[in-house]
Amino acid sequence: MNYISASPALLPARAGVGFKPEHFGAIAADQQPLGFFEVHAENYMGAGGVPHAQLRFLRERYALSLHGVGLSIGSPEPLDRDHLARLRRLCALYQPESFSEHLAWSSHGGVYFNDLLPLPYTEETLAVVAAHVDETQTALGRRILIENPATYVRFSQSDIPETEFLTELTQRTGCGLLLDLNNVFVSARNHGESALGYLASFPLIAVGEIHLAGFFDASEAGAPLLIDSHGAQVADEVISLFEWTIEQAGPLPTLIEWDNDVPDWPLLLAEAMKAQDRLRHAERGYARRLDRRAL
Amino acid sequence: MTSVMSGVAGDFAAALRDPLVTPPAMLSAHAAPAASTRFCVYRNNVAVSLIGALEARFPATRRLVGDEFFRAMARLYIKAQPPRSPLMMRYGDELPGFIARFEPAAEIVYLADIARLEAARTRAYHAADAEPLELSSLAALDPENFARLRLAPHPSLEIVESAFPIVTIWASCTGEAPLTAVEDWRCETALVARPRLEVEVRRAPPGAAAFLEALARGMSFGEAADSAAARAKDFDLALIIASLIGGGLLVPADGVKQMETIHGYLA
Amino acid sequence: MSANTSLTAAALAGAFAAALSLIASQASAGPAAEQPGKDKCYGVSLKGHNDCAAGAGTSCAGTSKVDYDGGAWKYVAKGACDTIKTPHGTGSLMPTKS
């Protein structure tokens, strides 16, 4: 099946949910009050079967975000051309409203680690990542979004703050950003910094999507450590960051990510509806401020 | 490509793969926990996600040996054969071969074959779609032409031959059949396929594997029947046709293309 | 080509006819006897294995040094293999290698 359209639309500024196959029956039973679904691109790289049948079903009814987790854009090694070709085919087939990847690496020396690994932020790494984003955008023929990572360690070589690194990346490549607010909170806590301070220097103008998720608290006495588990409800602190962000930037496409200990569909949908309420509220406030500015 | 980053990724990767390798020195932490503890989060993520992928793909194998044995074996497999592709759906293709050479599992003689069957199931799950041939669509065919039919195995089909009753054992480990001692201990060949959307596992009747292999080599229906009859004892063509066509395991030889007419797939 | 095959057209036609009645009487073998296409929910779903979540914790599966040092393998299979008795006893068909 082909989904060619003249100009790919953008994701709507509404709540969406990361699709889990176990929810398909519940999702298919009714039209869901959601703006979009997001899937991990690599899970749809088989030739056929249930995954594609389900993705076709979703594509026909909802806006779609393809989220890559395996391109290893932050690697010093050349991008995997075969993988890039698979992504290109998937984008051509499903014409997603958005494609996003991570500021991270996951492959080295031919081994794939199945995790999003951190990189030092230097002039040198910035040049490599920018070249990789450029190559990806050229291969896919579209602007992509790059997501800020959750990190547990830093590198002594790093001499550029993450927000500056991402800002510079958008300017060099024209890419957009996926702002993961759980990652912002997790990283800030892990590195003893202010999440709001991070957001204040984040280029909100470039944000095309927001991610919300739950974390796991692995802290021990005197040693705070949060882990980006995607296995719980969105924490209150992260909700506050969300409210602050959409008040500043206006409503944005917002995804609930829940990948571990996945709840039943009604609970996941309820979590998305809470985000939807906040988006609606922000939209009204944003519109009022625009009106005042117009006067 | 670049000096700093290559060194970082190389050291990081080596320490991820082996807990006996010290985490890279250039990691920093502003306060407790120490950088080496923080590094363990990544090591843990890699191990947990890869073990989880193998557990999900090989549930019957896991049930046969128990969680503790399976997890410990998975850790050794991951170290010996880490993923080479970002497509996790393929990870574990080599686990059956690893098990066959894994001394602590040698006593469970059928374990590697159960893993082969399970690996085939995942491949079938993701294989290309193709509309199976319906027996009724052959009703209009002149019997003179049966021998010249050009058919092929469904693209999802894999034949798993074993010296053990693997279909019976697999079924009893997945809840498809009760878990009991196997009364009728004999070799079984499994046909693993996904004719439409469900992956199905069938016992192959005698000669079916030889017949399918002959079709896959491009032989006509009649040639394949002759070839299989010569190779298999207890060859029963009616049973084979019923099993293969009834199970949706055959497609017209021109593959995924829908047949226009009955003559479209005559040789 | 059909002239070279030893099974006659009549034998093949007979096999097809017999197969048809076998299918009609649902006699085909196999433990999985699902009706194809019965499930409107697009079949049984397997979990997708690529995601961007982290495993919770720092000390479990990933960080233990046990099993990596090439020492003695200490695990014993304790699962359904105890129940599946072979003609030669639990879990084994042939004499165990020592």
Side-chain angles (χ1 to χ4, degrees):
Chain A
M1 215 170 290
N2 266 317
Y3 298 101
I4 307 295
S5 63
S7 65
L10 296 173
L11 291 176
R14 295 173 57 200
V17 160
F19 173 64
K20 295 279 129 187
E22 55 265 48
H23 292 145
F24 185 79
I27 291 168
D30 269 307
Q31 181 69 22
Q32 304 296 328
L34 291 167
F36 66 104
F37 279 96
E38 181 163 292
V39 298
H40 294 132
E42 284 72 11
N43 290 329
Y44 297 86
M45 290 181 172
V50 169
H52 287 284
Q54 293 183 338
L55 191 53
R56 277 195 295 271
F57 181 96
L58 295 178
R59 166 72 291 187
E60 283 160 8
R61 290 161 180 81
Y62 302 92
L64 179 68
S65 165
L66 272 188
H67 191 49
V69 298
L71 190 56
S72 203
I73 275 180
S75 167
E77 299 177 332
L79 291 183
D80 178 345
R81 296 285 161 83
D82 291 342
H83 198 61
L84 209 45
R86 288 191 285 262
L87 288 172
R88 187 173 57 231
R89 282 198 296 275
L90 209 56
C91 283
L93 184 61
Y94 289 102
Q95 296 283 307
E97 278 76 2
S98 173
F99 177 80
S100 46
E101 251 289 355
H102 298 82
L103 180 60
W105 59 281
S106 51
S107 295
H108 188 79
V111 172
Y112 175 67
F113 290 97
N114 201 30
D115 191 28
L116 298 165
L117 303 164
L119 56 143
Y121 301 138
T122 66
E123 265 310 321
E124 188 188 322
T125 60
L126 179 57
V128 172
V129 174
H132 285 170
V133 170
D134 212 33
E135 186 182 350
T136 307
Q137 294 190 130
T138 303
L140 301 185
R142 61 190 302 152
R143 180 184 191 237
I144 68 170
L145 307 180
I146 294 294
E147 177 177 339
N148 60 297
T151 57
Y152 311 103
V153 294
R154 283 192 169 160
F155 296 92
S156 48
Q157 299 96 327
S158 282
D159 53 12
I160 304 176
E162 188 173 284
T163 50
E164 197 182 316
F165 192 96
L166 287 167
T167 305
E168 190 61 31
L169 190 61
T170 64
Q171 286 166 359
R172 290 192 192 181
T173 67
C175 75
L177 298 176
L178 194 169
L179 173 57
D180 188 314
L181 290 168
N182 189 55
N183 289 355
V184 170
F185 185 75
V186 164
S187 294
R189 176 69 66 85
N190 287 346
H191 304 304
E193 291 171 357
S194 151
L196 267 180
Y198 180 97
L199 282 182
S201 60
F202 198 91
L204 292 179
I205 188 83
V207 174
E209 184 185 344
I210 288 175
H211 273 183
L212 299 176
F215 57 75
F216 175 79
D217 192 341
S219 303
E220 288 176 16
L225 184 61
L226 302 186
I227 293 172
D228 178 36
S229 66
H230 298 183
Q233 287 185 294
V234 183
D236 290 344
E237 299 97 317
V238 175
I239 294 286
S240 299
L241 296 178
F242 178 49
E243 288 170 341
W244 184 90
T245 303
I246 56 179
E247 197 186 310
Q248 300 295 311
L252 287 161
T254 300
L255 184 87
I256 305 294
E257 281 186 300
W258 203 321
D259 295 308
N260 280 324
D261 298 326
V262 177
D264 287 344
W265 177 247
L267 177 56
L268 184 53
L269 183 62
E271 196 73 351
M273 289 302 96
K274 282 193 265 177
Q276 181 64 54
D277 286 346
R278 291 184 168 88
L279 288 171
R280 217 173 280 130
H281 185 258
E283 187 169 27
R284 287 197 294 270
Y286 197 68
R288 272 199 301 278
R289 287 208 305 282
L290 286 183
D291 285 349
R292 276 202 297 277
R293 239 174 273 171
L295 284 172
Chain B
M1 184 191 277
T2 62
S3 55
V4 171
M5 207 160 152
S6 291
V8 167
D11 292 352
F12 208 102
L16 277 178
R17 288 197 55 197
D18 191 340
L20 300 176
V21 172
T22 314
M26 64 291 202
L27 300 182
S28 70
H30 75 289
S36 56
T37 304
R38 293 160 178 262
F39 181 79
C40 288
V41 176
Y42 294 106
R43 223 179 227 160
N44 189 60
N45 289 348
V46 173
V48 167
S49 69
L50 297 182
I51 292 172
L54 295 173
E55 285 174 340
R57 189 172 180 185
F58 297 95
T61 307
R62 182 186 177 199
R63 181 134 192 245
L64 281 165
V65 297
D67 289 355
E68 193 187 34
F69 188 104
F70 187 88
R71 210 169 295 135
M73 179 172 74
R75 280 159 55 79
L76 290 178
Y77 171 70
I78 290 162
K79 193 183 181 204
Q81 286 173 280
R84 295 275 160 190
S85 151
L87 270 59
M88 290 309 295
M89 63 179 73
R90 294 183 187 166
Y91 189 50
D93 276 349
E94 297 87 13
L95 184 66
F98 178 87
I99 292 175
R101 298 184 301 273
F102 188 56
E103 193 61 39
E107 200 182 326
I108 309 164
V109 287
Y110 48 80
L111 193 66
D113 287 353
I114 296 295
R116 281 167 65 215
L117 190 160
E118 296 199 293
R121 287 188 83 244
T122 315
R123 286 190 293 269
Y125 183 78
H126 291 286
D129 299 324
E131 194 58 41
L133 176 79
E134 299 279 353
L135 190 58
S136 59
S137 71
L138 299 177
L141 193 63
D142 184 335
E144 288 295 313
N145 288 326
F146 278 140
R148 289 165 55 214
L149 274 174
R150 292 278 169 189
L151 301 174
H154 192 276
S156 67
L157 179 74
E158 288 192 34
I159 302 163
V160 183
E161 289 181 283
S162 176
F164 311 103
I166 51 165
V167 178
T168 304
I169 295 172
W170 172 81
S172 68
C173 288
T174 52
E176 303 241 1
L179 180 63
T180 55
V182 177
E183 298 295 335
D184 190 9
W185 193 269
R186 62 164 91 173
C187 60
E188 286 178 351
T189 295
L191 300 177
V192 180
R194 200 201 77 242
R196 288 184 176 82
L197 288 167
E198 308 265 353
V199 177
E200 294 171 11
V201 177
R202 291 166 179 272
R203 254 177 232 102
F211 182 73
L212 284 164
E213 280 154 12
L215 287 184
R217 283 200 304 275
M219 289 189 187
S220 71
F221 207 89
E223 290 163 342
D226 283 340
S227 164
R231 285 168 58 193
K233 49 179 194 188
D234 304 330
F235 176 83
D236 181 340
L237 186 58
L239 199 58
I240 290 175
I241 296 170
S243 177
L244 299 187
I245 299 184
L249 306 183
L250 295 180
V251 295
D254 60 3
V256 290
K257 238 170 69 184
Q258 278 283 8
M259 299 166 275
E260 289 291 308
T261 66
I262 198 72
H263 300 290
Y265 52 103
L266 284 180
Chain C
M1 268 179 298
S2 56
N4 296 337
T5 60
S6 52
L7 284 162
T8 63
L12 281 170
F16 269 102
L20 192 58
S21 59
L22 270 174
I23 291 171
S25 67
Q26 306 255 315
S28 51
E34 297 105 316
Q35 301 301 303
K38 67 165 186 202
D39 192 348
K40 282 194 182 135
C41 289
Y42 297 87
V44 175
S45 297
L46 288 187
K47 192 169 162 265
H49 294 307
N50 283 97
D51 68 38
C52 45
T58 55
S59 59
C60 35
T63 54
S64 155
K65 294 183 167 77
V66 183
D67 307 339
Y68 279 76
D69 54 9
W73 173 265
K74 64 171 186 171
Y75 299 94
V76 177
K78 283 180 232 151
C81 60
D82 279 345
T83 310
I84 294 163
K85 294 188 175 57
T86 74
H88 300 273
T90 304
S92 176
L93 183 65
M94 290 172 282
T96 311
K97 277 186 283 177
S98 52

